[in-house]
Amino acid sequence: MQRTTHPLLISALTVAIGTASALALAESEAERAHANPGQYESGPTAMTGEGVNIVKSPGAPDLTEEEFHKATRIYFERCAGCHGVLRKGATGKPLTPDITQAKGSAYLEAMISYGSPAGMPSWKTSGELSEEEVKLMASFIQHEPPQPPEWGMGEMKNTWKVLVKPEDRPKKQLNDLNLKNLFSVTLRDAGQIALIDGDSKEIVTVIKTGYAVHISRMSSSGRYLFVIGRDAKVNMIDLWMKEPATVAEIKVGLEARSVETSKYKGFEDTYAIAGSYWPPQYVIMNGETLEPLRIVSTRGMTVDTQEYHPEPRVAAIVASHEKPEFIINVKETGKILLVNYEDIDSLKVTTIDAARFLHDGGWDSTHRYFLTAANKSNKVAVIDSKEGELEALVDVGAIPHPGRGANFIDKQFGPVWATSHLGDGSIAVIGTDPDKHPDSAWKMVRTLDAQGGGSLFIKTHPESHHLYVDTPLNPDAGISQSVAVFDLNNIEGKFKVLPIAEWSGLGEGPKRVVQPEFNQSGDEVWFSVWNGKEQESAIVVVDDKTLALKNVIKDARLVTPTGKFNVFNTQHDIY
């Protein structure tokens, strides 16, 4: 979707918001729960504007109680992911009253309406907000942010449900699905996931979940699928049932992004863990029932200025293969926590100072080193999970956003891991072999030029010689609707462009192409063609060997498909 902005306005807006990231669109666009039949309806929480304490600030435009509640809901749905619940800033700039009141309503309305060349979405010109809503939000952010309620053990247990007790679940797989090639597909605006058979390309079932599922993760055994919505609802799905279904669920907070299960030998499927954006904390749960066992706050001091931060949100969580530990990214403080779960009544937590603001990441090919983006510091932190220490902080491009990243063998530098970026069109390639290639280990050994900024995911597979890079947040429709493909046998050669949205055969709409995901065997790669909620979307399947169109999956139930997670690859951390 092309965006046009007056040159003078662009200049003013750039000063106002600096490097506010295009991630705002990924974090917030389409996070709307409408009361349509069969679709997710969020309950009355701080995220819907209910139950918050209204604090009207001197010097700010007056708002009625109804307007304040509406604006609170819009902010949480569209803005909090980047600017923070308390508006202290992260990927996006701070929006506290001392800053916003100084800018004034007219200036703020222009900023919200037209966006920024640095990535702030153009909320009015894109049709996401009406003129009245833009005025409302410009007034709202001049007030003190409402303080959402905390969410402790009592609140969690009130939402915890075991729908099928462990003893009543199947003792063996009761369906004939090839679970290793099953895909869990996020249907963002429907509050659902679709399970799609990777062999037949047919939808097996659609399961109601929390709103806008962020990720799907597999239990160590490969039996249970865990998904978490941005409303912090966790669903535990048993894939052995005749028709896979939720067997336990819980709401771990008001806003969240991450869930994982224990993988270390002897602790397989023993625990599950989920991290919240609000309140800033993580909870360790029983791996068979989701019973909450231990809640730990992440509030504390930042790694750089050593100042207290009231909202250090939990971003990525991965399960260590080397020790009985969870590795937890704390976004705003820039700290990485190694949480040993051998004795959850006496948790041993190693705190590693990295850099702000920590986001997502993944393992190197040996599953020893965790590489994770500190996106506003333009760095990738490398954690040695065996020794429990920071191995390196690697300078990369502008606002790295790797997803899990991509592992492959570089003919010159050996094993490497790569990330794409939101803020520029580069691909950073980092050496990951300190034993056989010590001179290139933990250094950016290559930087490749792709289509442009606005990338969210990069992907390859051990059986593939292709590297796929999406750009769904690029303002140029030709770029956001296609993907770049690099030949790993000729890494310095020109990439190819695949017109994924065109191949989908869809009608009108933004048709953003997002998140390449391989099947189990690594011979085909799936892409979501993410359209508007009221428009037709699709999944496009490409033959990895020939780069030719193989299948287009269309179904009325595929409402705003985004993330896709192959069971086998997710279970074994293959990427």
Side-chain angles (χ1 to χ4, degrees):
M1 187 183 300
Q2 191 69 39
R3 182 170 66 216
T4 57
T5 313
H6 192 281
L8 292 178
L9 183 59
I10 287 179
S11 177
L13 292 173
T14 303
V15 174
I17 66 174
T19 58
S21 166
L23 183 58
L25 187 59
E27 288 287 327
S28 54
E29 185 185 85
E31 292 189 13
R32 302 179 297 282
H34 296 273
N36 291 336
Q39 293 197 322
Y40 176 76
E41 299 178 37
S42 60
T45 71
M47 298 303 135
T48 64
E50 301 175 45
V52 298
N53 294 321
I54 299 175
V55 181
K56 296 186 177 181
S57 304
D62 191 35
L63 293 176
T64 66
E65 185 173 331
E66 181 181 358
E67 288 172 331
F68 201 95
H69 283 151
K70 180 179 179 180
T72 301
R73 174 181 57 79
I74 292 173
Y75 180 84
F76 282 129
E77 290 176 350
R78 291 170 165 81
C79 315
C82 266
H83 297 285
V85 172
L86 302 181
R87 303 195 212 137
K88 299 292 186 181
T91 304
K93 288 288 184 179
L95 295 175
T96 48
D98 59 316
I99 297 171
T100 54
Q101 285 189 23
K103 297 299 182 184
S105 294
Y107 198 92
L108 296 172
E109 288 173 21
M111 177 181 73
I112 296 168
S113 295
Y114 300 104
S116 153
M120 171 74 174
S122 52
W123 292 109
K124 187 177 82 170
T125 56
S126 68
E128 295 293 329
L129 293 180
S130 67
E131 185 171 350
E132 291 73 21
E133 288 172 327
V134 168
K135 292 180 181 292
L136 173 64
M137 296 310 296
S139 298
F140 174 73
I141 60 176
Q142 295 179 64
H143 290 267
E144 287 290 336
Q147 179 82 21
E150 299 296 319
W151 194 267
M153 187 62 76
E155 289 82 2
M156 286 190 197
K157 286 199 170 180
N158 284 339
T159 69
W160 171 49
K161 298 177 183 178
V162 179
L163 304 175
V164 183
K165 296 179 181 179
E167 60 267 27
D168 296 331
R169 297 172 194 167
K171 302 300 185 287
K172 62 180 181 179
Q173 184 178 340
L174 298 182
N175 55 61
D176 59 359
L177 296 171
N178 177 9
L179 296 183
K180 292 182 178 181
N181 202 29
L182 190 68
F183 286 76
S184 173
V185 180
T186 297
L187 308 179
R188 280 181 62 102
D189 287 358
Q192 301 169 334
I193 62 156
L195 295 180
I196 301 181
D197 185 339
D199 297 334
S200 69
K201 313 298 187 293
E202 297 291 332
I203 295 179
V204 174
T205 188
V206 172
I207 298 173
K208 185 177 180 181
T209 62
Y211 178 65
V213 164
H214 188 64
I215 57 171
S216 296
R217 290 290 180 261
M218 293 304 306
S219 66
S220 179
S221 65
R223 172 177 182 171
Y224 293 111
L225 173 70
F226 294 78
V227 299
I228 189 165
R230 294 178 186 232
D231 60 355
K233 182 180 179 182
V234 179
N235 287 66
M236 179 181 180
I237 298 164
D238 188 352
L239 300 180
W240 280 12
M241 298 175 71
K242 186 174 182 180
E243 182 172 295
T246 297
V247 293
E249 63 181 42
I250 190 172
K251 190 170 165 59
V252 298
L254 299 177
E255 187 183 5
R257 295 295 188 276
S258 53
V259 67
E260 181 63 289
T261 66
S262 54
K263 293 182 178 179
Y264 188 69
K265 186 177 181 180
F267 291 90
E268 298 93 336
D269 297 1
T270 300
Y271 296 116
I273 184 172
S276 300
Y277 267 25
W278 188 270
Q281 61 193 30
Y282 59 89
V283 56
I284 299 175
M285 300 166 282
N286 182 295
E288 286 192 315
T289 66
L290 294 184
E291 177 186 6
L293 302 173
R294 184 74 186 270
I295 305 171
V296 182
S297 173
T298 54
R299 291 181 171 100
M301 314 306 284
T302 63
V303 298
D304 43 16
T305 58
Q306 299 288 297
E307 294 177 302
Y308 177 76
H309 200 293
E311 191 191 352
R313 299 174 288 177
V314 176
I317 302 177
V318 296
S320 174
H321 300 267
E322 297 281 350
K323 296 178 182 178
E325 289 182 342
F326 293 117
I327 302 178
I328 300 174
N329 278 351
V330 185
K331 184 186 288 279
E332 277 75 12
T333 58
K335 295 181 179 180
I336 298 173
L337 310 180
L338 311 183
V339 179
N340 188 296
Y341 51 73
E342 284 182 290
D343 181 0
I344 65 168
D345 293 323
S346 182
L347 281 179
K348 296 180 177 64
V349 180
T350 300
T351 301
I352 298 174
D353 287 359
R356 302 169 76 191
F357 292 86
L358 294 167
H359 194 58
D360 55 358
W363 295 105
D364 79 309
S365 58
T366 69
H367 294 162
R368 172 175 172 172
Y369 298 97
F370 176 55
L371 295 95
T372 186
N375 56 28
K376 288 296 285 184
S377 297
N378 299 334
K379 296 180 185 295
V380 166
V382 183
I383 299 297
D384 182 345
S385 66
K386 184 176 181 178
E387 299 299 330
E389 60 188 21
L390 179 69
E391 191 72 20
L393 282 173
V394 185
D395 291 321
V396 292
I399 316 178
H401 194 283
R404 306 302 294 274
N407 289 298
F408 58 92
I409 303 297
D410 186 290
K411 291 184 176 181
Q412 181 177 349
F413 300 107
V416 296
W417 179 93
T419 179
S420 54
H421 299 83
L422 277 163
D424 64 38
S426 70
I427 308 299
V429 181
I430 298 170
T432 62
D433 184 6
D435 294 329
K436 296 182 180 179
H437 298 82
D439 291 341
S440 59
W442 319 130
K443 299 174 184 177
M444 188 171 69
V445 296
R446 292 188 190 277
T447 180
L448 309 173
D449 291 327
Q451 291 200 88
S455 175
L456 292 179
F457 298 101
I458 183 171
K459 191 62 69 76
T460 188
H461 187 279
E463 299 300 320
S464 172
H465 65 88
H466 291 127
L467 177 69
Y468 296 85
V469 185
D470 71 10
T471 39
L473 301 188
N474 194 288
D476 185 318
I479 295 175
S480 66
Q481 295 180 6
S482 60
V483 296
V485 187
F486 290 85
D487 183 349
L488 298 179
N489 292 326
N490 182 25
I491 192 67
E492 295 179 328
K494 178 66 176 176
F495 59 81
K496 294 182 179 179
V497 176
L498 303 186
I500 302 296
E502 179 183 328
W503 286 350
S504 72
L506 297 176
E508 63 177 14
K511 297 189 289 290
R512 289 181 291 269
V513 175
V514 64
Q515 207 234 7
E517 176 75 350
F518 278 86
N519 64 346
Q520 179 202 359
S521 61
D523 59 9
E524 62 184 33
V525 59
W526 295 32
F527 299 90
S528 295
V529 185
W530 171 21
N531 228 347
K533 189 181 65 132
E534 305 300 332
Q535 297 162 321
E536 186 181 27
S537 292
I539 293 172
V540 170
V541 181
V542 171
D543 186 315
D544 178 65
K545 305 302 181 187
T546 65
L547 300 184
L549 174 64
K550 191 171 183 178
N551 294 93
V552 177
I553 304 173
K554 292 182 180 179
D555 191 294
R557 294 171 289 178
L558 288 179
V559 178
T560 56
T562 52
K564 302 165 297 305
F565 303 87
N566 175 269
V567 164
F568 184 86
N569 294 338
T570 303
Q571 177 187 356
H572 296 283
D573 290 316
I574 296 172
Y575 35 81

